[in-house]
mmCIF file of all heavy atoms in Angstrom:
data_model
loop_
_atom_site.group_PDB
_atom_site.id
_atom_site.type_symbol
_atom_site.label_atom_id
_atom_site.label_comp_id
_atom_site.label_asym_id
_atom_site.label_seq_id
_atom_site.Cartn_x
_atom_site.Cartn_y
_atom_site.Cartn_z
ATOM 1 N N SER A 1455 61.387 137.636 53.519
ATOM 2 C CA SER A 1455 60.853 136.521 54.298
ATOM 3 C C SER A 1455 61.292 135.157 53.778
ATOM 4 O O SER A 1455 61.110 134.159 54.458
ATOM 5 C CB SER A 1455 59.320 136.579 54.312
ATOM 6 O OG SER A 1455 58.806 136.464 52.995
ATOM 7 N N CYS A 1456 61.858 135.102 52.576
ATOM 8 C CA CYS A 1456 62.230 133.800 52.015
ATOM 9 C C CYS A 1456 63.260 133.994 50.921
ATOM 10 O O CYS A 1456 63.646 135.119 50.590
ATOM 11 C CB CYS A 1456 60.998 133.083 51.472
ATOM 12 S SG CYS A 1456 60.260 133.942 50.059
ATOM 13 N N ALA A 1457 63.697 132.879 50.335
ATOM 14 C CA ALA A 1457 64.717 132.920 49.296
ATOM 15 C C ALA A 1457 64.224 133.636 48.041
ATOM 16 O O ALA A 1457 65.027 134.222 47.302
ATOM 17 C CB ALA A 1457 65.158 131.501 48.940
ATOM 18 N N ALA A 1458 62.918 133.600 47.777
ATOM 19 C CA ALA A 1458 62.389 134.301 46.615
ATOM 20 C C ALA A 1458 62.555 135.815 46.784
ATOM 21 O O ALA A 1458 62.868 136.530 45.828
ATOM 22 C CB ALA A 1458 60.911 133.954 46.413
ATOM 23 N N CYS A 1459 62.348 136.306 48.008
ATOM 24 C CA CYS A 1459 62.573 137.732 48.290
ATOM 25 C C CYS A 1459 64.045 138.076 48.065
ATOM 26 O O CYS A 1459 64.381 139.101 47.468
ATOM 27 C CB CYS A 1459 62.190 138.058 49.726
ATOM 28 S SG CYS A 1459 60.490 137.696 50.175
ATOM 29 N N GLN A 1460 64.900 137.217 48.555
ATOM 30 C CA GLN A 1460 66.338 137.423 48.413
ATOM 31 C C GLN A 1460 66.732 137.524 46.943
ATOM 32 O O GLN A 1460 67.479 138.438 46.541
ATOM 33 C CB GLN A 1460 67.033 136.249 49.091
ATOM 34 C CG GLN A 1460 68.543 136.242 49.023
ATOM 35 C CD GLN A 1460 69.105 135.033 49.742
ATOM 36 O OE1 GLN A 1460 68.968 134.880 50.947
ATOM 37 N NE2 GLN A 1460 69.738 134.148 49.008
ATOM 38 N N ALA A 1461 66.224 136.607 46.140
ATOM 39 C CA ALA A 1461 66.541 136.615 44.714
ATOM 40 C C ALA A 1461 65.982 137.854 44.031
ATOM 41 O O ALA A 1461 66.613 138.427 43.136
ATOM 42 C CB ALA A 1461 65.983 135.349 44.054
ATOM 43 N N ARG A 1462 64.795 138.293 44.439
ATOM 44 C CA ARG A 1462 64.176 139.491 43.877
ATOM 45 C C ARG A 1462 65.025 140.727 44.146
ATOM 46 O O ARG A 1462 65.251 141.552 43.252
ATOM 47 C CB ARG A 1462 62.782 139.663 44.478
ATOM 48 C CG ARG A 1462 62.112 140.992 44.188
ATOM 49 C CD ARG A 1462 61.680 141.119 42.760
ATOM 50 N NE ARG A 1462 60.889 142.321 42.548
ATOM 51 C CZ ARG A 1462 60.543 142.789 41.360
ATOM 52 N NH1 ARG A 1462 60.897 142.148 40.273
ATOM 53 N NH2 ARG A 1462 59.824 143.896 41.254
ATOM 54 N N VAL A 1463 65.529 140.878 45.361
ATOM 55 C CA VAL A 1463 66.373 142.025 45.706
ATOM 56 C C VAL A 1463 67.665 141.993 44.906
ATOM 57 O O VAL A 1463 68.121 143.021 44.388
ATOM 58 C CB VAL A 1463 66.667 142.038 47.221
ATOM 59 C CG1 VAL A 1463 67.685 143.116 47.565
ATOM 60 C CG2 VAL A 1463 65.391 142.270 48.009
ATOM 61 N N GLU A 1464 68.263 140.821 44.790
ATOM 62 C CA GLU A 1464 69.514 140.707 44.036
ATOM 63 C C GLU A 1464 69.326 141.099 42.576
ATOM 64 O O GLU A 1464 70.161 141.815 42.002
ATOM 65 C CB GLU A 1464 70.051 139.280 44.133
ATOM 66 C CG GLU A 1464 70.657 138.949 45.483
ATOM 67 C CD GLU A 1464 71.347 137.602 45.491
ATOM 68 O OE1 GLU A 1464 71.136 136.820 44.529
ATOM 69 O OE2 GLU A 1464 72.079 137.310 46.448
ATOM 70 N N ARG A 1465 68.233 140.650 41.970
ATOM 71 C CA ARG A 1465 67.991 140.998 40.562
ATOM 72 C C ARG A 1465 67.787 142.499 40.402
ATOM 73 O O ARG A 1465 68.269 143.112 39.443
ATOM 74 C CB ARG A 1465 66.763 140.244 40.037
ATOM 75 C CG ARG A 1465 66.979 138.752 39.846
ATOM 76 C CD ARG A 1465 65.909 138.152 38.934
ATOM 77 N NE ARG A 1465 64.578 138.382 39.469
ATOM 78 C CZ ARG A 1465 63.950 137.555 40.295
ATOM 79 N NH1 ARG A 1465 64.580 136.451 40.699
ATOM 80 N NH2 ARG A 1465 62.736 137.809 40.724
ATOM 81 N N ALA A 1466 67.056 143.111 41.341
ATOM 82 C CA ALA A 1466 66.780 144.542 41.255
ATOM 83 C C ALA A 1466 68.066 145.360 41.376
ATOM 84 O O ALA A 1466 68.281 146.314 40.614
ATOM 85 C CB ALA A 1466 65.783 144.952 42.337
ATOM 86 N N VAL A 1467 68.928 144.995 42.312
ATOM 87 C CA VAL A 1467 70.160 145.754 42.525
ATOM 88 C C VAL A 1467 71.165 145.495 41.407
ATOM 89 O O VAL A 1467 71.930 146.393 41.024
ATOM 90 C CB VAL A 1467 70.767 145.407 43.903
ATOM 91 C CG1 VAL A 1467 72.118 146.076 44.102
ATOM 92 C CG2 VAL A 1467 69.814 145.834 45.018
ATOM 93 N N ALA A 1468 71.182 144.284 40.881
ATOM 94 C CA ALA A 1468 72.124 143.959 39.801
ATOM 95 C C ALA A 1468 71.903 144.829 38.575
ATOM 96 O O ALA A 1468 72.839 145.054 37.788
ATOM 97 C CB ALA A 1468 71.997 142.487 39.432
ATOM 98 N N ASP A 1469 70.689 145.352 38.387
ATOM 99 C CA ASP A 1469 70.379 146.197 37.227
ATOM 100 C C ASP A 1469 70.763 147.660 37.431
ATOM 101 O O ASP A 1469 70.635 148.469 36.508
ATOM 102 C CB ASP A 1469 68.880 146.112 36.905
ATOM 103 C CG ASP A 1469 68.470 144.731 36.408
ATOM 104 O OD1 ASP A 1469 69.350 144.026 35.870
ATOM 105 O OD2 ASP A 1469 67.287 144.365 36.548
ATOM 106 N N VAL A 1470 71.222 148.023 38.629
ATOM 107 C CA VAL A 1470 71.608 149.415 38.900
ATOM 108 C C VAL A 1470 72.951 149.700 38.233
ATOM 109 O O VAL A 1470 73.902 148.916 38.393
ATOM 110 C CB VAL A 1470 71.701 149.666 40.425
ATOM 111 C CG1 VAL A 1470 72.228 151.072 40.704
ATOM 112 C CG2 VAL A 1470 70.347 149.469 41.077
ATOM 113 N N PRO A 1471 73.074 150.796 37.494
ATOM 114 C CA PRO A 1471 74.359 151.133 36.857
ATOM 115 C C PRO A 1471 75.470 151.269 37.891
ATOM 116 O O PRO A 1471 75.298 151.908 38.934
ATOM 117 C CB PRO A 1471 74.067 152.485 36.181
ATOM 118 C CG PRO A 1471 72.588 152.495 35.965
ATOM 119 C CD PRO A 1471 72.007 151.757 37.134
ATOM 120 N N GLY A 1472 76.610 150.655 37.597
ATOM 121 C CA GLY A 1472 77.753 150.738 38.491
ATOM 122 C C GLY A 1472 77.896 149.570 39.435
ATOM 123 O O GLY A 1472 78.910 149.452 40.125
ATOM 124 N N VAL A 1473 76.910 148.673 39.476
ATOM 125 C CA VAL A 1473 76.979 147.499 40.349
ATOM 126 C C VAL A 1473 77.692 146.374 39.611
ATOM 127 O O VAL A 1473 77.240 145.927 38.554
ATOM 128 C CB VAL A 1473 75.571 147.042 40.789
ATOM 129 C CG1 VAL A 1473 75.666 145.716 41.537
ATOM 130 C CG2 VAL A 1473 74.927 148.096 41.671
ATOM 131 N N ASP A 1474 78.835 145.940 40.155
ATOM 132 C CA ASP A 1474 79.586 144.841 39.553
ATOM 133 C C ASP A 1474 79.078 143.486 40.031
ATOM 134 O O ASP A 1474 78.988 142.532 39.256
ATOM 135 C CB ASP A 1474 81.076 144.982 39.893
ATOM 136 C CG ASP A 1474 81.682 146.247 39.287
ATOM 137 O OD1 ASP A 1474 81.195 146.680 38.224
ATOM 138 O OD2 ASP A 1474 82.625 146.798 39.891
ATOM 139 N N SER A 1475 78.764 143.397 41.316
ATOM 140 C CA SER A 1475 78.214 142.163 41.866
ATOM 141 C C SER A 1475 77.427 142.503 43.122
ATOM 142 O O SER A 1475 77.682 143.513 43.775
ATOM 143 C CB SER A 1475 79.318 141.154 42.194
ATOM 144 O OG SER A 1475 80.153 141.639 43.226
ATOM 145 N N VAL A 1476 76.476 141.649 43.446
ATOM 146 C CA VAL A 1476 75.650 141.860 44.637
ATOM 147 C C VAL A 1476 75.353 140.516 45.273
ATOM 148 O O VAL A 1476 75.132 139.520 44.576
ATOM 149 C CB VAL A 1476 74.336 142.602 44.286
ATOM 150 C CG1 VAL A 1476 73.565 141.849 43.205
ATOM 151 C CG2 VAL A 1476 73.461 142.788 45.522
ATOM 152 N N ALA A 1477 75.388 140.472 46.586
ATOM 153 C CA ALA A 1477 75.064 139.253 47.339
ATOM 154 C C ALA A 1477 74.179 139.642 48.511
ATOM 155 O O ALA A 1477 74.547 140.492 49.330
ATOM 156 C CB ALA A 1477 76.331 138.565 47.834
ATOM 157 N N VAL A 1478 73.001 139.042 48.580
ATOM 158 C CA VAL A 1478 72.052 139.322 49.653
ATOM 159 C C VAL A 1478 72.005 138.116 50.578
ATOM 160 O O VAL A 1478 71.888 136.980 50.119
ATOM 161 C CB VAL A 1478 70.649 139.612 49.091
ATOM 162 C CG1 VAL A 1478 69.655 139.860 50.221
ATOM 163 C CG2 VAL A 1478 70.688 140.816 48.159
#
C-alpha cells in the first residue's frame, strides 16, 4: 500500500540465498 511496504518486501527478498539484486 505504500513505499514502506515496498521497502519491506525488498529487504525480505534480498536475504534469500541466490538473490543478486531485487527491485520492487
Side-chain angles (χ1 to χ4, degrees):
S1455 61
C1456 65
C1459 302
Q1460 178 180 295
R1462 169 71 173 170
V1463 173
E1464 286 188 347
R1465 289 198 302 270
V1467 175
D1469 293 335
V1470 175
V1473 172
D1474 296 330
S1475 65
V1476 56
V1478 178

